[in-house]
Amino acid sequence: MPIFKLSPRTHSFALAGAALIGGLAFASTAATAAGGTYYRAELASPATQARFVARDVVWACTDASCIAGQGTSRPLIMCSALAKKAGPVKSFTASGKALEAEELTRCNAAK
């Protein structure tokens, strides 16, 4: 004999909670796909993985072109993290502003 009895609404709350969480996950994915791209990078060679995490940002790559949403670090730090994970970076843009040649050299030199 059970010590307590759950309300019949408990199932409804669980279902509503799952739908809310699923909806939020879909909304963030849709926002990224609809222009939430903050970083754009061109690698020296095609990426070995289509999706990966570098510096707490999910990168999505097609061949040598990679994109990601905004992170919390400076663009040079984000570029260095990408270079460590995916290889040398030919170009890197954050919010439409490209890294200068000197910064790009520093990006690729960080180990």
Side-chain angles (χ1 to χ4, degrees):
M1 176 170 225
I3 297 173
F4 59 90
K5 184 175 180 173
L6 295 175
S7 166
R9 293 185 183 170
T10 304
H11 178 70
S12 298
F13 290 137
L15 186 59
L20 176 63
I21 291 170
L24 291 174
F26 177 75
S28 69
T29 302
T32 300
T37 299
Y38 189 82
Y39 303 111
R40 293 185 184 277
E42 191 69 29
L43 303 175
S45 59
T48 58
Q49 298 174 321
R51 291 178 65 87
F52 56 88
V53 176
R55 192 77 182 184
D56 298 328
V57 173
V58 177
W59 287 89
C61 299
T62 304
D63 296 323
S65 297
C66 298
I67 59 170
Q70 186 173 4
T72 57
S73 298
R74 292 177 294 127
L76 181 58
I77 302 296
M78 297 304 292
C79 180
S80 296
L82 176 62
K84 287 178 190 176
K85 188 78 174 188
V89 178
K90 288 191 339 184
S91 67
F92 189 89
T93 305
S95 186
K97 185 175 184 283
L99 290 184
E100 301 286 332
E102 180 182 311
E103 293 173 309
L104 204 53
T105 300
R106 289 176 53 201
C107 162
N108 286 312
K111 298 288 179 197

